Amino acid sequence: MTTAPTASASSTGRRRIGRWRVVDIVVAAVLGVATGLIFVLWNSVGYAWFSVMDALTPGFGGLAVGIWLLGGVLGGLIIRKPGAALFVELLAATVSMLLGSQWAIETVYAGIAQGLGAELVFLLFAYRRFGLPVAMLAGVGAAIGAYVLELFTSGNLAKSAEFLAIYLGCIAVSGAVLAGVVGWLLTRALAATGVLDRFASGRSRSR
């Protein structure tokens, strides 16, 4: 007799996690556009950093990649719904492409790969945990997505094992820090202003 209400509550909880509201869509779209504008700036600054680091030691350029992974982490942390990480990262990449990214359509492919990488981490935790460790793991997941895609789109598959190992380590660190930690801090900063009060990410700021 006592199991039915528990099962019902669990089912209701799963529906709430999966159901997108109008406000979720609107905020996710705003996040995607805003992050896309950040990408546009980083396309110059970040690529210059990437080139300098890669010239010093091939593979070290991966340390500059993390900002391009930010959308998926922010989407997952703020919206907390299935698909949010992929949606925000993909929209951000699309905005970057439309505003003149030097990588053209490959920017969108990167958005899909990176968004899926972050999305899988949030899925792993059943969209119920959103602390700093999960944010950092989502950044690493996005980095691995980028790394796998670049094996083919950037010709990295033909490069040396040493380069691939260094690049993987650097891009993972960059994803954890520049996407994971920065995304988590930005989410907390936004929550502190009260603009996220309609989201669990905003209501949890006082816990």
Side-chain angles (χ1 to χ4, degrees):
M1 296 292 291
T2 59
T3 57
T6 302
S8 177
S10 176
S11 176
T12 300
R14 285 193 295 271
R15 286 198 299 271
R16 286 176 180 171
I17 289 173
R19 182 185 302 155
W20 280 63
R21 304 166 298 169
V22 173
V23 68
D24 297 326
I25 298 171
V26 171
V27 171
V30 171
L31 281 174
V33 172
T35 308
L37 296 176
I38 293 173
F39 287 179
V40 170
L41 295 175
W42 200 248
N43 288 345
S44 299
V45 177
Y47 186 64
W49 180 18
F50 182 100
S51 300
V52 169
M53 295 299 293
D54 229 35
L56 292 174
T57 301
F60 271 30
L63 293 171
V65 173
I67 294 298
W68 285 304
L69 313 175
L70 185 60
V73 176
L74 279 177
L77 291 178
I78 291 174
I79 308 300
R80 300 189 176 186
K81 298 289 176 67
L86 175 59
F87 178 88
V88 174
E89 184 72 29
L90 176 56
L91 179 56
T94 302
V95 169
S96 177
M97 181 195 69
L98 293 175
L99 292 179
S101 167
Q102 58 265 50
W103 297 285
I105 190 62
E106 287 185 10
T107 308
V108 175
Y109 302 155
I112 294 171
Q114 293 158 191
L116 282 173
E119 189 74 48
L120 288 172
V121 172
F122 291 114
L123 174 62
L124 180 65
F125 290 95
Y127 301 98
R128 293 183 182 277
R129 295 183 61 185
F130 301 94
L132 179 58
V134 174
M136 294 177 71
L137 284 173
V140 173
I144 292 173
Y147 177 87
V148 172
L149 179 69
E150 290 176 20
L151 289 173
F152 306 97
T153 59
S154 298
N156 287 353
L157 194 61
K159 296 184 179 179
S160 69
E162 181 183 18
F163 169 86
L164 292 175
I166 292 172
Y167 186 58
L168 177 59
C170 288
I171 198 174
V173 169
S174 187
V177 177
L178 294 182
V181 175
V182 171
W184 183 76
L185 290 173
L186 284 174
T187 301
R188 285 177 63 87
L190 287 171
T193 68
V195 299
L196 300 181
D197 283 353
R198 296 189 67 181
F199 296 86
S201 52
R203 294 190 296 272
S204 65
R205 71 184 186 276
S206 61
R207 295 174 191 171

